[in-house]
Amino acid sequence: MQKELSQMTGIQESTLSFLARNRRDKINTELLSKIMKALNITSFDEILELED
């Protein structure tokens, strides 16, 4: 799936892997936008879980 998403978004597979494994504290909004567009997601609530 990460390889396909990488091809769809132009985001490196290694970057997607870090995101998938929660290895980043912050996410670039441009990356998030590309992922959301590729997956036809319109709301942040569909992909983000906020921690208190």
Side-chain angles (χ1 to χ4, degrees):
M1 178 69 179
Q2 288 179 3
K3 184 174 185 171
E4 293 171 22
L5 187 57
S6 175
Q7 292 171 345
M8 293 168 66
T9 61
I11 300 170
Q12 294 181 355
E13 284 184 66
S14 59
T15 301
L16 293 172
S17 178
F18 274 101
L19 293 173
R21 293 183 290 143
N22 265 349
R23 299 286 186 194
R24 291 212 171 175
D25 294 331
K26 298 178 184 177
I27 183 170
N28 179 302
T29 56
E30 183 179 339
L31 294 180
L32 185 57
S33 178
K34 287 180 180 183
I35 292 168
M36 289 177 69
K37 284 180 184 177
L39 299 177
N40 198 29
I41 295 171
T42 58
S43 173
F44 290 112
D45 294 339
E46 294 180 54
I47 59 171
L48 295 178
E49 183 177 308
L50 300 177
E51 296 179 2
D52 292 329

